[in-house]
Amino acid sequence: MRISWDLLSTLVDLDGRSPADVAAVLTSTGLEVESVQAVGLAKGALDGVVVGHVLTCAKHPDADRLSVCMVDIGQDKPSQIVCGAPNVAAGQKVLVATVGAVLPLPDGTRITIKRTKIRGVESNGMICAEDELGLGEDHDGILVLDPSAVVGTSASDHLGLKGDHVFEIGLTPNRADAMGHWGVARDLAAAVRYRTHAEMPLHLPDVQAFRPDDHALTVPVQVDAPHACPRYAGLTLTEVRVGPSPAWLQDRLKVLGLKPINNVVDVTNFVQHELGQPLHAFDADKLRGGRIIVRQAKEGERFTTLDGKERTLSSEDLLIADAEEGACLAGVFGGAHSGVSGSTTRVFLESACFEPIIVRRMARRHGLNTDASFRFERGVDPEATVYALKRAALLLKEVAGARISSEVTDLHPHPRPWKEVRLHLATLERLCGMPIAADDVVRILELLDCRIAERTAQTLLVQVPPYRVDVHREADLVEEVLRIHGFDRVPLPERLMCPPVHQPEVTAEGFQRQLAGHLAARGFREVMTPSLVNGGQAVKLGAAAEGGLIRLKNPLSAELDVLRPTLLFGMLAATAHNLARQQRDLRFFERGRIYGRTKDGTQEHERLGLLLTGRRRREQWRTDDARVDAADLREEVTAFAERAGLLAGLSTLPAEHPLLEEAVELRRQGVLFAVMGDVRQDVLKAFGIDQPVLYAELAETAFLEALRAQRTTFAEVGRFPAVRRDLSLLLDQGVTYAQLEALAFKAERTLLRSVGLFDVYEGDKLPQGRKSYALSFVFQDPAKTLTDDQVEKAMGRIRKALEQEAGAELRG
């Protein structure tokens, strides 16, 4: 959310405080200021630029397109300036950058004006165009001022320019009260008053001047859905002159990132950002029957919104309608036929309070996210409804020449009471970790507009204003007290006692931390992708059957309508995003849940996804251009299992997978631990990926449960040397390395420590259907040094097992 320093200063006294100081205070109260950006005229940006008067203008003696001008800039004598603008002429009032002035360039750099010679003629300054001063983009000629401009006046004073700062606040969803400048000013004043005991007056815009000018137009209002609209207020204005807003109003909106439209719409947008109360203006002459009805839509009712789209409504939608049809989706978006246009002269102005849940569902159902829905679906202050209406009406009198032509219609049958929450001072001390004096607690709560209905030595009965929709419990009040007192003011004890804690079993959090560290150390980067995917695409690519998907009832968009059945889709989207930015060598991992539906109901599983694509090693002059392949992926999965201490007992088996080619799976004691393979080409094409991608999906829960079941033992590092022997074997194509490894350990259980595959050959020099593997075998005895005889006997047992059970032939 954007907050303007200049607008904030009209609501609260900021004298003597810098934007940085205010940002620090706001962040400490929970309104985190993510950035502070200077906008408009930065300090000193037009220093040295003054109003000048062109006394004479003659052709340059050595250049057809240049003019030599004598310009009065308010000094003892005129300055000679060479100018290339085609529209410069004697008698003009212009803006002159004098020698030493620093001007901004479009690329963000700056240029210093110097005394120089242009084609042999001395020039002492520059007559400026609009873009050269950073005031616009026009460079067709110099900026010519009104003849009344006073020579020597600074450019900033003449143009009435001033700078502003914009705070970008990361507003949390619960802080509906701070969705306008007034709410931010209220928090800022409370914190400063309490912490510094300094005065910081608040200045709520005065609406005492509000009164009807006449009663020329009355629009009756009828609320047929009071449960969805607890308060509805409105009034009429006549003799409205729709046109561009004055400069001050346009500047206010531009700073907040809004585009000025016309004075009526701009006023409603301004009040919304000033006070946090959305408003809507109807062309009163377009309201059929001259009345307003707040009602539920009819099932299947058609309604065209301001963007020109015809929408089919649900009976759960709330409409602001006239006597014949809908005029506005309540709290979300206006209708096409009732909006204010250039020909509008009579306006019905609405200010209301709608039920947040209804607005939220309506906005999601129709895929509309507006500034108004953002506020209504979090909850607005029902007590500010009429005040905001009067504020907007007075502004429209000022900027549109309007006349207020009716009393305020205010339908509020059941005013919302102030919530009562009991606060125990002992609970506050326990949650804060420090005592706060009862008087200080009362002062903080009163600064936050709360009332103390009852006070005892141990408790306070607090009445919470309706605009604090997030304060319901005692813990909420503790948070309110602590954020104004200051989280950073909670003292640290002299010593932090951290007794050793015995962990009886592996925790999910600890395991996840370790696996993330392991993968990061091996060059992987963690990605986090949405848990929602395109259901139609998932079915088309075969990731799941239609009945196996879990669909959202009110999806944000048709592209994100089901819970993901696999991590692969999100990781492929991240891959495509990086490939489009020339990042082609990628190693990603993601932890998350996948979801599905079976005959037993809905299910969710923890998964770890690994994705490889591109080069095996980072591109360097001394590395080859080899690409990752299935062996690289298997190596990563194996390294992960080894890091978890679960490598022993893992078996590799061929597998069928709807999204992978040449898939294999890893199982341990019959439990599926991982599946991996090459992503199918049609799947890659669906995501716009033009290079091979390898993917593995690991069952994180299976790893965790195996770790918990496994007894951790300690073995002393061997003191005696290991011995290595190699074998080169000729094998049938169907024999796998996993089979050979298992046979070797079965044949030699005592001395064999590891088996490795260090060479594979498949070529025309071998018989058809055969391949060659080179295996290494490492032997070690923890109690003594091995003899050659022991090693040869062990190798003999292994050779025999491989020859008899795997059909291996010894080569060389």
Side-chain angles (χ1 to χ4, degrees), residues 153-298:
T153 304
S154 69
S156 56
D157 288 345
H158 172 75
L159 297 173
L161 299 176
K162 59 181 179 179
D164 198 356
H165 288 79
V166 173
F167 299 92
E168 198 72 47
I169 294 181
L171 193 66
T172 53
N174 63 307
R175 292 302 307 276
D177 62 295
M179 291 188 298
H181 285 67
W182 176 246
V184 174
R186 191 165 45 202
D187 257 21
L188 175 64
V192 170
R193 286 176 177 177
Y194 172 75
R195 297 175 190 178
T196 68
H197 302 285
E199 288 299 318
M200 185 176 247
L202 289 166
H203 309 292
L204 193 62
D206 188 6
V207 295
Q208 291 185 9
F210 176 86
R211 59 183 54 83
D213 297 302
D214 54 50
H215 295 82
L217 177 62
T218 300
V219 174
V221 176
Q222 175 183 331
V223 178
D224 291 344
H227 65 286
C229 179
R231 188 170 192 178
Y232 191 94
L235 57 78
T236 59
L237 300 114
T238 57
E239 299 184 21
V240 178
R241 295 190 295 274
V242 177
S245 297
W248 70 266
L249 182 52
Q250 293 195 38
D251 290 343
R252 286 266 197 263
L253 296 177
K254 289 176 182 177
V255 164
L256 296 175
L258 301 176
K259 180 181 179 181
I261 298 173
N262 60 54
N263 47 10
V264 176
V265 176
D266 292 350
V267 163
T268 62
N269 285 334
F270 172 72
V271 172
Q272 175 176 256
H273 283 266
E274 180 185 46
L275 303 177
Q277 171 65 47
L279 305 170
H280 190 72
F282 299 90
D283 187 327
D285 291 323
K286 296 177 182 177
L287 295 175
R288 295 174 176 86
R291 61 188 306 182
I292 287 287
I293 304 172
V294 184
R295 62 172 174 84
Q296 300 289 154
K298 301 169 186 174

Side-chain angles (χ1 to χ4, degrees), residues 82 155-156 283 350 415 423 428 497 508 576 593 746:
V82 177
S156 56
D283 187 327
E350 165 197 284
L423 174 63
L428 183 141
M497 303 299 290
R593 293 180 180 178
K746 181 180 178 182

Side-chain angles (χ1 to χ4, degrees), residues 588-618:
F588 287 157
F589 79 94
E590 180 177 16
R591 288 182 39 256
R593 293 180 180 178
I594 62 172
Y595 307 85
R597 190 187 304 276
T598 67
K599 62 181 181 180
D600 299 324
T602 58
Q603 296 183 344
E604 55 184 88
H605 303 283
E606 296 285 349
R607 290 290 185 263
L608 169 68
L610 303 181
L611 183 146
L612 300 177
T613 186
R615 294 182 181 86
R616 179 175 294 146
R617 298 180 181 86
R618 189 173 63 180

Side-chain angles (χ1 to χ4, degrees), residues 265 381 394 467 480 517 522 533 585 651 657 682 714 766:
V265 176
D381 181 7
L394 291 174
Y467 67 77
E480 291 301 295
R522 293 187 66 87
V533 297
D585 306 322
S651 58
H657 192 281
D682 60 322
F714 165 78
L766 297 178

